[in-house]
Amino acid sequence: MNTILNKMGLPSNLVWGYLGVLVFMMGDGLEIAWLSPWLIDNGFSVQQNSLLFAVYGVTIALSSWFSGVLVESLGPKRTMWLGVLMYILGTTGFIGLGVAADLHYGMMLVFYSVRGLGYPLFAYSFLVWIAYRAPQEKLGTAVGWFWFVFTGGLNVLGAYYSTWAIQHLGHVNTLWSSIIVVVIGAILALIVNQDKLERKSKQGTQGKVKELLKGLTIVKEEPKVLLGGIVRTINTTAQFAFPVFLPTYLEDYGIPTTTWLGIWGTIFIGNILFNLLFGIIGDKLGWQNTIMWFGGVGCGITTLALYYAPQWFAGNIWVVGFIGFLWGALLAGYVPLSALVPSLVKENKGAAMSILNLGAGFPVFLGPAIVGVFIGEIGPQGVMWILAILYFVSALLTKFISVPEQKKSQVEKAVS
């Protein structure tokens, strides 16, 4: 069985960790599709919702950055347990002192931001774990499996579970149940999973502070890591921008919001399937080429197509849905970035991954911010062009992110 898993590019020593991430992210993502409209139905304004999710996005970005360097200092399991603790504290306060207390907005704001510290410390720390433990020649496939379980739990299983749970438990109890799901995921990833990677620093407090600062100084030591962080930021900026304005734009062409939700689900079906496939493709065709052409150029073209297709095809939902599927699939073209960036450094892979993880967390804030700043001046067309141009820029930047020749030859030797 272990041989089969390894041939699939799924490290057999980490398989329970992957399953734990899937379950954890299912619990974390169960309210994504319904929390905002539910709060509005209960008297919250759009502005209050925007602030709630903006603060949540900021803490996600900070936690994403700290995840890699904390792994170097504390080890992956301690860092992941810290993420579990932050999630439980944040969720308990958010529900118990916010939602259940007649929707106390101040408490909701504080504790939802604490909750935002949780999943990056858990999931992205495991991604660093993968970067150290997966074979170099299979690293692209290994991170492809990570994004497969991450997205599958966050955007698919969480939504399906909520559909059932809201009907049988109600909204508030569904939120409470997320803690149970998250704890099950933690048990699988941190107790059932017996693999060990202890990166705990032997230095004192001063040494640990220096370790944390490597999350910043690494970009001076290896500027390509910074480029990787910028490319990673561009990767999912549109993902968090689209829901803010695209449903309204599509309504003008006869595609209602309910249909848009179906299209959005189709997008992530494509993304989940190709997260794994592009990990394999990256190992075969090269990580850099895969990111440039499939990710950058492909997403740039399909972003523009998503805007113009409703006009050219009179709001045909099958055409728009197919283009959405393609965009989601090509979004997975960035998967090898999680293999490419840590391969740029011999040591301090956690610090390099911290920059990459910051790039994964920042779009939660940046995507809606781009829409908020530009939509009034240049409209949906202008915003879509901005997002498309960012993708083309990411392709250009990736051209300058290459693994040193010595490491490249080591990888080629391992593959042969």
Side-chain angles (χ1 to χ4, degrees):
M1 183 63 179
N2 288 349
T3 302
I4 294 173
L5 291 174
N6 289 327
K7 285 183 177 180
M8 292 169 60
L10 180 61
S12 58
N13 55 316
L14 294 174
V15 67
W16 286 107
Y18 281 95
L19 183 59
V21 170
L22 175 71
V23 176
F24 184 100
M25 295 311 301
M26 172 182 166
D28 181 87
L30 61 82
E31 89 286 356
I32 287 177
W34 58 265
L35 182 60
S36 180
W38 182 72
L39 291 175
I40 291 174
D41 288 343
N42 281 274
F44 279 70
S45 67
V46 174
Q47 290 79 6
Q48 286 176 311
N49 263 8
S50 298
L51 179 60
L52 180 69
F53 292 112
V55 172
Y56 179 64
V58 169
T59 57
I60 284 177
L62 290 173
S63 182
S64 300
W65 173 55
F66 275 114
S67 61
V69 289
L70 283 176
V71 169
E72 299 288 355
S73 180
L74 303 177
K77 287 195 173 184
R78 291 183 180 89
T79 306
M80 291 170 73
W81 277 121
L82 181 60
V84 175
L85 177 62
M86 290 297 101
Y87 183 89
I88 293 174
L89 287 176
T91 301
T92 301
F94 177 72
I95 304 170
L97 300 177
V99 174
D102 296 323
L103 296 175
H104 189 289
Y105 183 67
M107 288 296 178
M108 292 172 65
L109 200 64
V110 170
F111 284 101
Y112 205 54
S113 65
V114 173
R115 184 181 181 277
L117 298 171
Y119 91 70
L121 289 177
F122 185 88
Y124 295 152
S125 295
F126 185 70
L127 183 58
V128 179
W129 196 342
I130 293 169
Y132 273 108
R133 297 289 282 151
Q136 181 80 359
E137 70 275 11
K138 293 285 188 179
L139 185 54
T141 308
V143 298
W145 277 107
F146 170 82
W147 290 113
F148 178 86
V149 298
F150 179 94
T151 308
L154 183 66
N155 292 300
V156 179
L157 294 183
Y160 283 130
Y161 169 73
S162 284
T163 301
W164 173 87
I166 288 173
Q167 293 178 355
H168 295 84
L169 305 176
H171 291 84
V172 176
N173 286 333
T174 296
L175 288 173
W176 280 119
S177 72
S178 71
I179 295 177
I180 299 173
V181 178
V182 160
V183 169
I184 293 172
I187 290 171
L188 292 172
L190 300 173
I191 296 178
V192 180
N193 172 28
Q194 294 294 307
D195 189 69
K196 295 185 182 298
L197 175 65
E198 294 300 330
R199 303 292 302 174
K200 187 175 180 180
S201 173
K202 301 298 183 181
Q203 300 172 316
T205 302
Q206 185 177 359
K208 290 182 179 179
V209 170
K210 288 179 64 177
E211 195 71 55
L212 291 175
L213 290 177
K214 282 188 178 295
L216 291 175
T217 60
I218 190 70
V219 300
K220 182 179 179 181
E221 298 169 10
E222 181 51 81
K224 294 176 183 177
V225 171
L226 176 59
L227 292 180
I230 295 172
V231 172
R232 182 63 183 88
T233 300
I234 294 171
N235 174 195
T236 50
T237 292
Q239 176 181 330
F240 294 99
F242 283 168
V244 179
F245 75 101
L246 206 52
T248 303
Y249 167 71
L250 293 177
E251 282 184 345
D252 293 337
Y253 294 90
I255 300 176
T257 301
T258 52
T259 304
W260 155 253
L261 292 175
I263 294 172
W264 191 243
T266 301
I267 285 173
F268 282 101
I269 289 173
N271 183 250
I272 290 167
L273 293 175
F274 280 83
N275 273 336
L276 179 57
L277 184 58
F278 274 119
I280 299 171
I281 291 173
D283 286 335
K284 299 296 183 182
L285 299 183
W287 300 333
Q288 189 183 41
N289 288 329
T290 302
I291 298 164
M292 284 173 55
W293 296 109
F294 291 103
V297 175
C299 283
I301 293 172
T302 50
T303 294
L304 293 176
L306 267 176
Y307 176 78
Y308 289 108
Q311 300 178 25
W312 294 343
F313 297 95
N316 187 302
I317 60 173
W318 296 105
V319 173
V320 175
F322 176 70
I323 293 173
F325 180 90
L326 284 179
W327 179 82
L330 291 167
L331 193 68
Y334 286 92
V335 159
L337 196 63
S338 297
L340 178 60
V341 170
S343 298
L344 297 172
V345 294
K346 183 177 181 180
E347 301 291 339
N348 300 316
K349 292 183 185 293
M353 289 299 291
S354 283
I355 299 300
L356 199 62
N357 294 342
L358 176 60
F362 192 55
V364 180
F365 169 79
L366 181 61
I370 288 176
V371 178
V373 171
F374 293 104
I375 195 77
E377 296 296 327
I378 58 180
Q381 181 178 18
V383 172
M384 291 295 266
W385 270 97
I386 288 175
L387 296 173
I389 289 170
L390 285 175
Y391 279 125
F392 295 136
V393 168
S394 77
L396 180 62
L397 292 177
T398 304
K399 181 68 177 176
F400 299 97
I401 309 174
S402 56
V403 180
E405 289 300 320
Q406 182 180 359
K407 292 185 178 180
K408 189 181 296 183
S409 64
Q410 291 173 352
V411 173
E412 292 171 349
K413 183 179 179 181
V415 172
S416 62

